[in-house]
Amino acid sequence: MTKILYEHPLNERIRNYLKLEHLFTQAEDCLQRKISVSHQVFFNALFAIIDTLERNDVRGDLIKDLEKLEQNLVIWSQAPEIDSSVLAENLQQTVELICQLKPNTPQWAQLKHDKFLATLKQRFAMQGGSSSFDLPQLQFWLHQDSEILAEDVQGWLALLDQIRSALAIILKFIRQRANFTQINTESGFYQDNGEGILLLRIKVDQTSLYYPTVSGSRLRYSIRFMSPCDKTGRKYSNKATSFELARC
């Protein structure tokens, strides 16, 4: 049976990671589509990535997490049941990313000095500010050959490759910290100790008439299931509830 996966971070660092992962997915998806049609999604995602990196010490957090991962990989390499070739590949990638991220001036900082992007970013920050009459330079760019558009988009995203790759390997190992277990509740509510947990992953059957909302912190979390409601938007679901939970 098809299941819907919901994820919820239990600290601000993981929240930023998931937010960036989502934005990268949006931006990269535009490469598979006609950029002249999907450019609004692409630039909104690109500028949100830049803002997130500027306002938070994501690079510093990534370096710390990569260094912890490097230490763990070295420890795990001593276990006899470990696939040494896979571990060595992950270890090499982790060490390379640490070296790439450590320079004082990050690679993605070049995006801030791109005059074309800077003009667009200023207008995209305003509601409705990206209209064609406000940004004739964008209209001009959109009517260039598709090869030129794709080359520009790929070039901008390439400057973010180190961040994207670091996010991917860190989130991969965080998600692998725990397996899913079946949970059954009688009232559509569940709570537990959140100590040591970074990320909650919740699977609900697609046919279920409810979805989870999560509140909590590193000490304790609660999951309350809601159902859509025409009058109020949503309402508490107090029926017996079955779901899968991974505490990562």
Side-chain angles (χ1 to χ4, degrees):
M1 182 177 293
T2 303
K3 296 183 182 293
I4 302 175
L5 174 64
Y6 301 87
E7 293 187 319
H8 189 86
L10 291 184
N11 65 42
E12 192 63 26
R13 184 176 92 260
I14 305 303
R15 181 181 294 276
N16 285 330
Y17 288 177
L18 293 180
K19 176 182 177 181
L20 284 168
E21 180 187 51
H22 174 68
L23 292 169
F24 274 118
T25 298
Q26 285 188 328
E28 291 167 357
D29 182 64
C30 293
L31 286 173
Q32 312 305 319
R33 306 175 188 276
K34 192 174 181 181
I35 195 66
S36 58
V37 175
S38 62
H39 67 278
Q40 291 277 354
V41 174
F42 172 76
F43 285 118
N44 278 322
L46 179 65
F47 297 147
I49 291 171
I50 295 172
D51 285 342
T52 302
L53 294 176
E54 284 185 325
R55 295 173 184 175
N56 305 275
D57 187 20
V58 174
R59 184 170 65 107
D61 289 337
L62 288 173
I63 291 172
K64 291 176 184 176
D65 281 335
L66 286 170
E67 289 174 339
K68 290 179 185 176
L69 178 58
E70 179 188 4
Q71 295 171 4
N72 288 332
L73 287 170
V74 171
I75 294 172
W76 296 336
S77 67
Q78 308 304 316
E81 69 276 12
I82 288 292
D83 186 327
S84 58
S85 61
V86 174
L87 186 141
E89 181 181 342
N90 282 287
L91 181 58
Q92 180 181 356
Q93 182 185 6
T94 300
V95 173
E96 288 176 353
L97 284 169
I98 292 172
C99 295
Q100 292 169 2
L101 288 172
K102 277 192 170 180
N104 291 330
T105 303
Q107 190 179 45
W108 64 266
Q110 297 178 47
L111 294 170
K112 296 192 298 181
H113 305 298
D114 187 299
K115 299 301 183 183
F116 176 68
L117 290 179
T119 304
L120 297 191
K121 187 173 184 292
Q122 185 178 18
R123 297 300 309 181
F124 267 75
M126 305 176 187
Q127 187 173 7
S130 58
S131 301
S132 59
F133 53 81
D134 284 320
L135 287 172
Q137 62 270 54
L138 175 59
Q139 280 292 93
F140 175 81
W141 180 77
L142 290 172
H143 284 82
Q144 304 304 300
D145 290 341
S146 58
E147 292 81 6
I148 294 177
L149 301 187
E151 183 179 341
D152 286 344
V153 168
Q154 290 169 352
W156 293 325
L157 290 178
L159 295 174
L160 293 159
D161 269 350
Q162 296 168 358
I163 298 292
R164 182 193 54 77
S165 297
L167 281 171
I169 193 170
I170 289 170
L171 287 173
K172 178 180 73 172
F173 278 95
I174 288 176
R175 288 173 173 134
Q176 291 176 355
R177 289 177 57 177
N179 295 321
F180 284 94
T181 57
Q182 186 71 33
I183 305 290
N184 299 297
T185 69
E186 296 300 323
S187 61
F189 179 79
Y190 179 82
Q191 64 179 353
D192 202 355
N193 188 343
E195 189 172 355
I197 300 175
L198 302 175
L199 175 68
L200 295 177
R201 310 185 78 209
I202 304 165
K203 284 184 178 180
V204 180
D205 289 344
Q206 190 174 17
T207 56
S208 299
L209 300 178
Y210 48 76
Y211 57 90
T213 59
V214 181
S215 60
S217 64
R218 61 184 180 85
L219 298 178
R220 195 162 188 82
Y221 66 88
S222 63
I223 304 172
R224 187 180 296 276
F225 287 85
M226 311 291 290
S227 296
C229 177
D230 291 337
K231 292 183 178 180
T232 61
R234 64 180 185 175
K235 63 181 180 180
Y236 293 127
S237 174
N238 55 9
K239 300 178 180 179
T241 305
S242 176
F243 64 100
E244 295 179 39
L245 176 64
R247 307 169 180 87
C248 303

